Amino acid sequence: MQLGVIADDFTGGTDIAGFLVAEGLATIQLNGVPQGAFKTHADAAVVSLKSRSNPHEEAVRQSLAALRWLKAQGCKRFFFKYCSTFDSTARGNIGPVTDALLGELGETFTVICPALPVNGRTVYCGYLFVNGVPLNESGMRHHPITPMLDASLMRLMEAQASGKAGNVSSVIIDQGAVAVRESLAAFQAGKVRYAVLDALNDRHLTILGQVVADMPFVTGGSGLGAGIARAIAAAGGHEHTEATRLGAPPGGGRAVILSGSCSTMTNAQVAAYLKEAPSFSVDLERCVADPSGYADNVAQWVAEQQVSLAPLIYATTDPEGLAVAQRTYGAEKASHSVEVFFSDIASRLAQRGFDHFIVAGGETSGAVVQSLGVTAFHIGPQIAPGVPWVRAVDAPVSLALKSGNFGDERFFFKAQSFF
């Protein structure tokens, strides 16, 4: 195994897995840490956790378990994957998990690079930008669980981790791999623990991938993962056609869209879709009062829709609607109730023969995957950058697990063009 990835949520796992396949690495994605060995001939394995927003002690425990399992499979190169918007609270979990993984590996230095230019995420002078505006001025400032109020990756990292951060600027990266290596060596000599890497375009990611591909442990988003995969594939001449075929969704079957994300882009995707397809807005009050009973009623509605486009069930709302829900029920209770509802409805629809699930939102995706009892995926073709179709290894189910702000307004339509 060439690369072992520890992803802090399910959509983050499919995000990087899709890029690894696109760059030539046969990749399998695992839902949680397997019990014992898992037979695979993949070049890369992505262990998807639910560790982005839970207590940081639990996130550390899960991440260490994933690392130990990957080491037991013979992997020697590891990647901690987090969102390209660096989703975390003031206390973590990116910093504590990074420190724990460094300690487990006996390392004292790593890199930080959430950049994904193809989706508008860039790092300049150590500051993270989303579609040209600082992170804290983007839609992420309204995130219900991990509101991002600072764009400085150095400040964010030093606040939640245990060491000093420095920045490798785009000026240095433009000079090439040798200059970047010299900068990293100087940081290590100066006791800097985290090197925040600028990245404004795909060329920067290619250079960075060449530099860090042989480091035992790196952290970042799927853009850096793609750069590393590009370097590995170039050295080994990998072929990915078969891996993509195994993950492609089969034709026929029944499809449904489940949208729990409240991101800016998902709001636009829902608005575009409900103009043309049957759509059902989730009643949060009924979710809180009786999520399982409510799921029975909504599943019946979905099953009755006899149309070519997949029915949409959405709890997606704008920042004002989200604020009202959180004031009324509390942020944690509202979020948990919606997750339980989507979990219940996914299992009910699977029992009714639905086998294609298009899911928007990391927490929603995690709930759906767990309810369907899926343990591993083959990675298929990308619908949009960072969003591939995946097919369950151990169940007749295909899924598109979309991080909230990924894809364009026609994403739900495009996803259905693959089957």
Side-chain angles (χ1 to χ4, degrees):
M1 189 181 296
Q2 297 291 308
L3 182 64
V5 179
I6 301 165
D8 67 358
D9 82 341
F10 292 98
T11 55
T14 55
D15 171 15
I16 191 167
F19 279 100
L20 297 181
V21 169
E23 295 297 339
L25 299 189
T27 304
I28 192 164
Q29 182 178 348
L30 303 154
N31 176 10
V33 182
Q35 299 299 312
F38 190 98
K39 293 182 179 180
T40 177
H41 299 294
D43 301 310
V46 179
V47 180
S48 298
L49 304 176
K50 186 175 168 57
S51 60
R52 177 171 295 176
S53 57
N54 53 354
H56 67 265
E57 298 87 354
E58 184 179 343
V60 166
R61 178 183 57 77
Q62 290 183 16
S63 302
L64 288 174
L67 176 64
R68 290 162 185 163
W69 183 85
L70 289 165
K71 288 174 69 175
Q73 312 315 304
C75 190
K76 299 185 184 304
R77 184 192 283 120
F78 306 96
F79 191 108
F80 172 36
K81 196 276 177 189
Y82 39 76
C83 188
S84 58
T85 46
F86 208 74
D87 301 18
S88 58
T89 65
R91 297 188 62 194
N93 291 340
I94 294 174
V97 169
T98 298
D99 283 346
L101 296 176
L102 279 169
E104 180 75 9
L105 291 167
E107 299 291 326
T108 60
F109 178 77
T110 191
V111 298
I112 309 293
C113 186
L116 185 57
V118 70
N119 276 354
R121 278 71 161 166
T122 56
V123 180
Y124 178 67
C125 294
Y127 287 79
L128 180 55
F129 290 80
V130 178
N131 294 322
V133 302
L135 175 65
N136 57 301
E137 296 178 20
S138 73
M140 282 302 297
R141 69 187 183 277
H142 298 303
H143 195 283
I145 300 174
T146 54
M148 300 307 297
L149 306 179
D150 192 352
S152 170
L153 293 171
M154 280 95 74
R155 278 199 300 265
L156 288 168
M157 200 63 191
E158 289 179 352
Q160 58 183 261
S162 61
K164 183 180 178 181
N167 172 233
V168 180
S169 74
S170 59
V171 174
I172 293 173
I173 297 168
D174 281 332
Q175 296 172 26
V178 173
V180 176
R181 289 191 179 96
E182 290 174 350
S183 182
L184 294 181
F187 278 145
Q188 287 181 275
K191 306 300 181 183
V192 170
R193 188 168 172 85
Y194 322 104
V196 175
L197 307 177
D198 279 6
L200 302 176
N201 50 55
D202 198 53
R203 175 178 174 272
H204 285 167
L205 293 174
T206 297
I207 293 170
L208 295 174
Q210 293 169 354
V211 172
V212 305
D214 291 327
M215 288 179 63
F217 176 63
V218 300
T219 86
S222 56
L224 183 59
I228 292 173
R230 201 171 299 153
I232 295 172
H238 294 264
E239 174 58 55
H240 66 280
T241 304
E242 179 68 10
T244 302
R245 184 187 67 79
L246 289 173
R254 304 187 73 183
V256 64
I257 303 171
L258 307 176
S259 179
S261 169
C262 293
S263 71
T264 301
M265 180 51 70
T266 302
N267 268 280
Q269 290 161 347
V270 167
Y273 196 76
L274 59 82
K275 294 177 182 177
E276 301 182 39
S279 306
F280 192 103
S281 177
V282 174
D283 184 333
L284 182 55
E285 182 177 355
R286 296 189 66 183
C287 276
V288 172
D290 181 18
S292 294
Y294 186 39
D296 284 330
N297 296 335
V298 180
Q300 180 63 34
W301 175 84
V302 174
E304 292 171 351
Q305 305 308 305
Q306 301 297 323
V307 291
S308 58
L309 288 172
L312 164 68
I313 306 169
Y314 66 99
T316 301
T317 186
D318 58 23
E320 291 76 18
L322 180 62
V324 170
Q326 291 179 338
R327 286 197 302 269
T328 304
Y329 303 103
E332 185 174 347
K333 185 174 183 179
S335 177
H336 177 72
S337 297
V338 170
E339 283 185 43
V340 171
F341 166 78
F342 277 120
S343 175
D344 287 345
I345 200 166
S347 62
R348 283 159 173 74
L349 290 174
Q351 293 168 8
R352 291 171 178 264
F354 283 80
D355 55 2
H356 292 65
F357 293 83
I358 301 166
V359 189
E363 300 298 323
T364 308
S365 294
V368 169
V369 168
Q370 290 179 324
S371 73
L372 296 176
V374 176
T375 62
F377 310 112
H378 294 296
I379 308 303
Q382 293 207 51
I383 306 161
V387 194
W389 270 106
V390 301
R391 192 190 299 191
V393 170
D394 48 2
V397 175
S398 291
L399 304 103
L401 306 174
K402 186 190 84 71
S403 182
N405 274 312
F406 280 16
D408 61 19
E409 291 187 3
R410 300 290 293 179
F411 175 84
F412 294 146
F413 298 95
K414 290 179 180 178
Q416 296 173 66
S417 70
F418 285 77
F419 54 83

